[in-house]
Amino acid sequence: MKFVSLKSRGGNYLVVAANVAWLRSDENGQTKVGIVGSTPLLVVGSIEEVAAQIGAE
C-alpha cells in the first residue's frame, strides 16, 4: 500500500494513492482530490503538481 503526503492550508493528509479517484482544479491554486468512499480533500497545488506527487515513487 502506497501512502502519499498531501499538503493543505488547514493541515496535511496522508492518503492511500490507490484510493484517489479524480482531481479537479479549485480556486486560489488549490486542487480537490476525490477519494473513493469519502468526501473530496482540498489540497495546495495545481492538478499537475498533485498528480506528480501521487504518481511519484
Side-chain angles (χ1 to χ4, degrees):
M1 189 176 327
K2 177 182 168 188
F3 288 92
V4 179
S5 178
L6 299 175
K7 299 194 182 309
S8 171
R9 293 189 176 146
N12 298 329
Y13 297 100
L14 195 56
V15 176
V16 176
N19 287 348
V20 174
W22 51 267
L23 301 174
R24 184 176 77 195
S25 288
D26 208 70
E27 56 190 27
N28 300 322
Q30 299 179 92
T31 298
K32 283 200 176 171
V33 179
I35 304 295
V36 174
S38 183
T39 59
L41 305 173
L42 185 60
V43 300
V44 176
S46 67
I47 287 178
E48 293 81 9
E49 292 167 340
V50 175
Q53 286 178 287
I54 295 168
E57 291 191 54

